[in-house]
């Protein structure tokens, strides 16, 4: 078994991004990411902190706008509109989940598709489905780069994704399909997830359930990508894959932590630089 080391790859990517930022700075361009955080969700606050620390490491300006749980939808929409209009801001990200009284889809659709570095706007989602240039959501984008770095080609292979979220499963399905894979997308109503995972050359799991993927659910030599992030009762971070047994049977596997997580952050930085460059070129 070989570990898919997202941590090391993310360090290399950050090094490249830092050089790109320096080039942009020399032309008086200062890539800037605006992050909106609503409420007191502890994991969200921790993700936002990791994102802004990563920005700091590579020289991207990060502006974090923290808002109370009871913020109105109207106020949020106005903030997004201000950021859409602000020529110093190149990327806008609203950390999810949002409180129940806010219509998440309405918020995501208010972000200019040109600054939508999370790739969640329907225009960017549609472009992804059509294999057109746009912003690709960070987690699936990071996963694809991790596979590429290890020369793992999905063309003609059976890929099973467990978890059909808008953030991970659905965009990952499009990326894999565009790369020539045969894709099975399992979800909450799938009757026999094991049937699909056992027939897969590549298994991607992003559900948020400890121990979801067990060794008897994969075929010998499969590539396993664990997108889950869970905290055990003892406070340890683990994925959705039962690592000890599954890693014995797989050819490649992502560790948690140190696999997909750091790649998600790296991909967000890449999207932000891409947006800043697009603005610099005057394409927008
Ligand atoms: N919540 C969980 N994952 C993500 C993500 O990739 N982006 C945002 N904005 N919120 C999230």
């Amino acid at each position: 078994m070989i570990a898919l080391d997202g941590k090391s790859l993310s360090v290399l990517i950050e090094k490249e991004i830092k050089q790109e930022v320096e080039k942009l700075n020399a032309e008086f361009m200062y890539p800037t990411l605006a992050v909106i955080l609503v409420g007191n969700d502890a994991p969200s606050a921790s993700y936002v902190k990791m994102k802004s620390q990563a920005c700091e490491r590579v020289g991207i300006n990060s502006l974090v706008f923290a808002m109370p749980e009871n913020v109105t939808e109207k106020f949020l929409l106005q903030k997004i509109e201000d950021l859409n209009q602000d020529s110093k801001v190149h990327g806008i990200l609203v950390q999810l989940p949002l409180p129940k009284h806010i219509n998440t889809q309405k918020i995501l659709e208010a972000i200019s598709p040109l600054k939508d570095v999370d790739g969640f706007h329907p225009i960017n989602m549609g472009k992804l489905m059509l294999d057109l240039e746009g912003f690709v959501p960070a987690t699936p984008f990071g996963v694809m780069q991790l596979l590429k770095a290890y020369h793992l080609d999905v063309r003609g292979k059976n890929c099973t994704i467990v978890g059909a979220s808008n953030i991970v499963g659905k965009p990952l399905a499009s990326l894999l399909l565009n790369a020539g894979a045969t894709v099975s997308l399992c979800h909450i109503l799938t009757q026999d997830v094991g049937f699909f995972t056992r027939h897969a050359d590549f298994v991607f799991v992003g559900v948020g359930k400890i121990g979801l993927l067990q060794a008897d659910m994969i075929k010998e030599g499969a590539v396993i990508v664990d997108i889950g992030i869970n905290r055990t009762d003892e406070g340890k971070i683990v994925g959705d894959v039962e690592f000890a047994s599954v890693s014995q049977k797989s050819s490649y596997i992502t560790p948690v932590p140190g696999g997909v997580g750091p790649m998600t952050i790296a991909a967000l930085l890449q999207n932000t630089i891409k947006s800043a460059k697009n603005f610099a070129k005057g394409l927008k």
Side-chain angles (χ1 to χ4, degrees):
M1 173 279 290
I2 296 172
L4 294 167
D5 184 354
K7 177 68 198 154
S8 297
L9 181 57
S10 75
V11 170
L12 292 179
I13 293 172
E14 285 193 12
K15 215 169 151 186
E16 284 170 15
I17 293 175
K18 195 163 187 240
Q19 287 169 357
E20 300 220 38
V21 172
E22 281 161 10
K23 272 194 230 159
L24 288 165
N25 287 169
E27 294 162 31
F28 305 104
M29 271 289 296
Y30 304 95
T32 298
L33 172 67
V35 180
I36 297 177
L37 171 65
V38 180
N40 310 310
D41 182 52
S44 288
S46 143
Y47 293 140
V48 166
K49 193 171 167 194
M50 286 195 278
K51 289 171 186 179
S52 57
Q53 284 172 340
C55 284
E56 202 168 308
R57 287 196 295 276
V58 299
I60 293 175
N61 288 328
S62 76
L63 311 171
V64 178
F65 299 93
M67 314 210 173
E69 183 82 17
N70 64 357
V71 70
T72 62
E73 195 174 276
K74 192 172 168 212
F75 186 90
L76 256 184
L77 289 169
Q78 185 57 56
K79 183 72 217 170
I80 290 168
E81 188 48 31
D82 293 347
L83 294 168
N84 283 341
Q85 299 298 333
D86 187 341
S87 62
K88 296 189 292 302
V89 170
H90 308 105
I92 303 171
L93 180 159
V94 178
Q95 187 64 31
L96 304 179
L98 290 170
K100 287 200 170 55
H101 68 280
I102 305 228
N103 180 337
T104 299
Q105 199 53 35
K106 199 168 166 188
I107 296 298
L108 295 178
E109 289 183 26
I111 298 171
S112 163
L114 304 177
K115 297 189 178 185
D116 173 37
V117 288
D118 249 339
F120 295 162
H121 191 287
I123 289 204
N124 284 312
M125 284 284 183
K127 284 184 171 176
L128 174 57
M129 184 159 240
L130 297 171
D131 204 6
L132 298 174
E133 186 61 35
F135 289 112
V136 176
T139 299
F141 185 27
V143 165
M144 295 305 284
Q145 295 189 72
L146 189 53
L147 295 180
K148 194 169 177 199
Y150 284 82
H151 308 289
L152 295 170
D153 192 354
V154 298
R155 200 176 150 86
K157 302 289 186 188
N158 291 335
C159 289
T160 293
I161 305 168
V162 186
S165 68
N166 290 343
I167 291 179
V168 178
K170 288 183 198 169
L172 181 58
S174 285
L175 284 169
L176 291 169
L177 188 61
N178 292 343
T182 302
V183 181
S184 301
L185 183 48
C186 299
H187 49 82
I188 193 90
L189 298 177
T190 301
Q191 294 207 357
D192 184 1
V193 171
F195 171 82
F196 294 94
T197 56
R198 272 190 291 275
H199 286 86
D201 305 300
F202 291 73
V203 180
F204 306 82
V205 192
V207 171
K209 197 165 167 211
I210 297 174
L212 184 136
L213 192 76
Q214 309 261 336
D216 64 355
M217 294 169 71
I218 70 160
K219 75 173 178 187
E220 196 78 39
V223 174
I224 309 296
V225 177
D226 190 347
I227 308 169
I229 303 179
N230 312 287
R231 194 178 282 272
T232 65
D233 293 339
E234 296 82 43
K236 201 173 146 218
I237 299 289
V238 297
D240 291 351
V241 175
E242 195 180 80
F243 190 87
S245 58
V246 172
S247 61
Q248 300 283 319
K249 210 172 164 186
S250 61
S251 56
Y252 294 81
I253 186 167
T254 56
V256 178
V260 174
M263 290 304 298
T264 293
I265 306 254
L268 171 67
L269 300 176
Q270 289 175 312
N271 280 347
T272 305
I273 288 301
K274 172 173 160 164
S275 186
K277 280 181 166 173
N278 283 345
F279 279 101
K281 279 188 283 192
L283 281 183
K284 298 178 168 179

